[in-house]
Amino acid sequence: MTSLTPETTNPHGGHTLEAMSALWSGELRSHGRRVTKQRLAVLAAVHGHPHSTAEEIVQHVREDLPTITVQSIYVVLADLTAIEMLRKFQPPGTPGLYETRTDDNHHHAFCIRCGRVEDVDCSVGEAPCLTPSESHGMTVLSADIVYRAICADCAAREAAEQESSSGPTAAVAP
Amino acid sequence: MTSLTPETTNPHGGHTLEAMSALWSGELRSHGRRVTKQRLAVLAAVHGHPHSTAEEIVQHVREDLPTITVQSIYVVLADLTAIEMLRKFQPPGTPGLYETRTDDNHHHAFCIRCGRVEDVDCSVGEAPCLTPSESHGMTVLSADIVYRAICADCAAREAAEQESSSGPTAAVAP
DNA sequence: AGCGTTATTGTGAATACCTCAGAATAACTG
DNA sequence: CAGTTATTCTGAGGTATTCACAATAACGCT
């Protein structure tokens, strides 16, 4: 922790890629999975680019492993999701998005205009939306929440367009 | 309400199909939409079979309109969803599901084993999961919640299978 | 370290779900 | 009832994802 060699510092936020890899390797093994460079590369890509689609992950992984195939990415993503090392969610009208934050109860806000996604720590408390722990005899495991929202940029842009259609600025002669 | 002719009684729960059609027609018109038999048939099908996929809705609608096409169903579903006469949601690994309950704050429990879906009236209160009304500058409109769950049947079946692998019952000679 | 076993990845193709552009039809207005 | 224009139909296309089988490489053992 006190060493300051180039290898131990990185822009990502405290943990080096090597440290993360070691962590991930252990976790993979504890789930009976082999540690492959493909899996580590996928984990690194998703960790570095949260809320990525499979296609985007392919691009990022190919910086390390230029020959990896789309199909392998899908297989790896599905498997890592199954053992909950990754989390998958799918706002309406978009392909599946992946992230590495799996152990906290957080959710997602999705801009229905531009598709932007932000993490939302559930503000009510611990796991408020898990309260219906029994319904119709079903045992609830977890809650996937997607907040349909409009981001600040889109709200501003729409306000401006609204203004221009009856106000003094812009769009004088269409 | 007091008439008891055959047309005014039906098994669905108080409202006749004709009454619903009149209601839907008015709602369509108020959204600037024309009242077509296709739209009414789709609304009736979804109303009679909540949590249906587009493909299932095609089957049901074809009982009335045998020649309707899958594409038209998709167009109608998308349009009715856009004006919020239908609600669409999509548990992981399944196609989009549609329902007519749009004006109440209810959510869905989804059995990750068999795919069964049940409505869940949010038990915490009014709209608890809408509390993060501002996050990252995004204005939240609504929350789509899918509870990942295991239904009673699947839980029982898995318990039985667990038992049989080390217990006395079943699967004596495979 | 080398070797065998078996999970994992790559290859090639296929599927499911959904959307698009343009022509034909039918719902509303007067 | 006739005209206008939304809506549906026809036919094709596209994207996200999955499948079966062959090739590869990670791990446990000596």
Side-chain angles (χ1 to χ4, degrees):
Chain A
M1 290 291 215
T2 50
S3 148
L4 289 172
T5 62
E7 284 78 27
T8 58
T9 58
N10 81 342
H12 277 331
H15 297 294
T16 67
L17 194 56
E18 291 78 34
M20 295 306 295
S21 291
L23 229 65
W24 290 327
S25 298
E27 216 173 326
L28 284 170
R29 267 185 255 271
S30 75
H31 283 286
R33 299 299 192 278
R34 292 180 182 174
V35 177
T36 66
K37 47 179 183 283
Q38 288 90 340
R39 284 204 247 249
L40 291 178
V42 166
L43 285 165
V46 176
H47 188 72
H49 307 270
H51 310 153
S52 292
T53 64
E55 209 58 47
E56 288 163 354
I57 294 165
V58 170
Q59 304 308 322
H60 293 127
V61 170
R62 282 196 174 146
E63 293 172 10
D64 285 320
L65 307 171
T67 64
I68 199 168
T69 62
V70 179
Q71 291 86 331
S72 296
I73 297 283
Y74 274 106
V75 171
V76 169
L77 286 173
D79 185 56
L80 293 178
T81 303
I83 63 176
E84 293 185 304
M85 287 188 66
L86 291 180
R87 189 170 153 194
K88 176 185 184 177
F89 67 100
Q90 192 157 9
T94 74
L97 306 180
Y98 295 86
E99 66 188 351
T100 48
R101 285 180 66 184
T102 56
D103 49 0
D104 58 349
N105 174 252
H106 84 276
H107 308 300
H108 299 101
F110 167 74
C111 177
I112 59 176
R113 300 282 184 257
C114 66
R116 181 175 157 189
V117 172
E118 296 284 359
D119 285 333
V120 174
D121 295 304
C122 215
S123 66
V124 185
E126 278 300 294
C129 300
L130 281 170
T131 17
S133 58
E134 286 279 337
S135 31
H136 300 272
M138 296 173 92
T139 308
V140 171
L141 305 173
S142 67
D144 270 357
I145 308 185
V146 175
Y147 298 99
R148 296 178 57 250
I150 295 184
C151 74
D153 294 351
C154 289
R157 181 171 42 70
E158 286 179 14
E161 285 169 7
Q162 196 74 0
E163 194 65 23
S164 70
S165 60
S166 61
T169 49
V172 180
Chain B
M1 291 290 219
T2 51
S3 149
L4 289 172
T5 63
E7 284 78 27
T8 58
T9 59
N10 82 342
H12 277 330
H15 296 295
T16 68
L17 193 56
E18 290 79 32
M20 294 307 296
S21 290
L23 228 66
W24 290 327
S25 298
E27 217 173 326
L28 284 170
R29 268 185 255 268
S30 75
H31 283 286
R33 299 301 193 278
R34 293 180 181 173
V35 178
T36 66
K37 47 181 185 284
Q38 289 89 340
R39 284 205 249 251
L40 291 178
V42 166
L43 284 165
V46 176
H47 188 71
H49 306 270
H51 310 152
S52 291
T53 64
E55 210 57 48
E56 288 163 354
I57 293 166
V58 170
Q59 304 307 322
H60 293 128
V61 171
R62 283 196 174 145
E63 294 171 10
D64 286 319
L65 307 171
T67 63
I68 199 168
T69 62
V70 180
Q71 291 87 330
S72 296
I73 297 285
Y74 274 108
V75 171
V76 169
L77 288 173
D79 184 56
L80 293 178
T81 303
I83 63 177
E84 291 184 306
M85 288 187 66
L86 291 181
R87 189 170 153 195
K88 176 184 184 178
F89 67 101
Q90 192 157 7
T94 73
L97 306 180
Y98 295 86
E99 66 188 351
T100 48
R101 286 180 66 184
T102 55
D103 49 359
D104 59 349
N105 173 252
H106 85 275
H107 307 300
H108 299 102
F110 166 74
C111 177
I112 59 176
R113 301 283 185 254
C114 66
R116 182 174 157 188
V117 173
E118 297 282 359
D119 285 333
V120 174
D121 295 304
C122 215
S123 67
V124 185
E126 278 299 295
C129 300
L130 280 169
T131 19
S133 58
E134 286 279 338
S135 31
H136 299 273
M138 295 173 92
T139 307
V140 171
L141 305 174
S142 66
D144 271 357
I145 309 185
V146 174
Y147 298 99
R148 295 177 58 249
I150 295 185
C151 74
D153 294 352
C154 288
R157 181 170 42 70
E158 286 179 13
E161 285 169 6
Q162 197 73 0
E163 195 65 23
S164 71
S165 60
S166 59
T169 49
V172 180

